[in-house]
Amino acid sequence: MGVLKNIAQRLYPCGTCRVGKAVYLTFDDGPIPEVTPKVLEILSRYGVKATFFMVGENIDKHPDVFAQVVKAGHSIANHTYNHMKGWRVSTAKYIANVRKWEEAAKRNYPAGCPPLVLSRFRPPYGRTWVWQRKAVKKLGYEIYLWDVLTRDYNRSRTPEAMLRQIQRQTRPGSIINFHDSIKSNDRMLEVLPKAIEWLQKEGYELATL
């Protein structure tokens, strides 16, 4: 097991890094109109559902893109309202930001869709204090991290390197971390279809959290 693969689990042990036997594609930081619809098109092409850990501020800015994700049947999850770093704020401020995300999601949730489920949370950067995690869990959330961090936000990373990492580190239960953000756009969109093709060829079930 590589160092990068297990870094989140070792540094932040109070979150889930692997689940069951399926593999889970997750996307942080959207919804972004320049990126998220392209991700949805790729997922639709391969018949795959994913989990989107969205920033509440982006939900308010781009409610139409938020609605596209919901209507496509993907899982929606809390990533705080302002992409907040837990290590820099009090627990009270952190929880207020988590609740502000809930308000944004409820306010913009499209009519006629299955009820919004408030049960999945990922702390930005994976950074929270233990008492913040306890407070988040009291709200009814399960905290999901990852065990395959693509680092698609790193401009020095190539799609080829990311694909090799996915192929090397993925195993049953893996949670793969991508970002539907401007910073990750080109690299993520190039590697995503290749990663899905490889995962499906290997016989992995791709599911939502």
Side-chain angles (χ1 to χ4, degrees), residues 14 19 38 45 60 66 70-71 82 92 113 127 134 151 189-190 201 205:
C14 294
V19 183
K38 297 177 183 177
R45 188 193 318 164
D60 273 338
F66 172 65
V70 175
K71 290 177 180 179
N82 297 111
C113 292
R127 296 176 181 177
K134 289 181 179 179
R151 293 186 295 149
L189 290 174
E190 182 174 341
K201 182 179 179 181
E205 175 192 358

Side-chain angles (χ1 to χ4, degrees), residues 91-111:
T91 297
K93 187 173 182 179
Y94 196 77
I95 293 304
N97 209 262
V98 172
R99 288 193 176 278
K100 190 174 181 179
W101 182 96
E102 295 179 351
E103 294 169 2
K106 291 175 182 177
R107 181 167 55 248
N108 294 288
Y109 199 76

Side-chain angles (χ1 to χ4, degrees), residues 84-90 93-94 125 127-129 132:
M84 183 168 281
K85 292 183 179 179
W87 288 356
R88 294 186 176 182
V89 299
S90 67
K93 187 173 182 179
Y94 196 77
Y125 313 100
R127 296 176 181 177
T128 53
W129 297 110
Q132 291 170 337

Side-chain angles (χ1 to χ4, degrees), residues 152-163:
D152 50 4
Y153 49 78
N154 187 335
R155 298 186 188 279
S156 66
R157 291 276 283 171
T158 66
E160 292 77 17
M162 285 189 284
L163 181 60

Side-chain angles (χ1 to χ4, degrees), residues 6 13-14 20 27 33 51 60 67 72 74 84 86 97 103 114 116-117 131 134-135 146 151 160 175 192 197-198:
N6 228 17
C14 294
F27 296 86
T51 303
D60 273 338
H74 301 285
M84 183 168 281
N97 209 262
E103 294 169 2
L116 174 65
V117 177
W131 42 89
K134 289 181 179 179
W146 57 83
R151 293 186 295 149
E160 292 77 17
I175 301 173
L192 180 59
E197 289 175 4
W198 179 81

Side-chain angles (χ1 to χ4, degrees), residues 23-28 35-54 65 68-76 176 178-180 188-189 191-197 199-200 206-208:
V23 169
Y24 307 85
L25 301 181
T26 67
F27 296 86
D28 291 2
V35 184
T36 307
K38 297 177 183 177
V39 173
L40 294 178
E41 190 280 325
I42 293 171
L43 296 175
S44 176
R45 188 193 318 164
Y46 291 96
V48 171
K49 302 299 182 185
T51 303
F52 288 79
F53 289 89
M54 294 184 169
V65 184
Q68 287 180 41
V69 179
V70 175
K71 290 177 180 179
H74 301 285
S75 291
I76 306 303
I176 302 176
F178 290 103
H179 296 76
D180 54 327
M188 181 273 296
L189 290 174
V191 76
L192 180 59
K194 297 176 183 177
I196 293 174
E197 289 175 4
L199 290 164
Q200 291 181 330
L206 297 177
T208 60

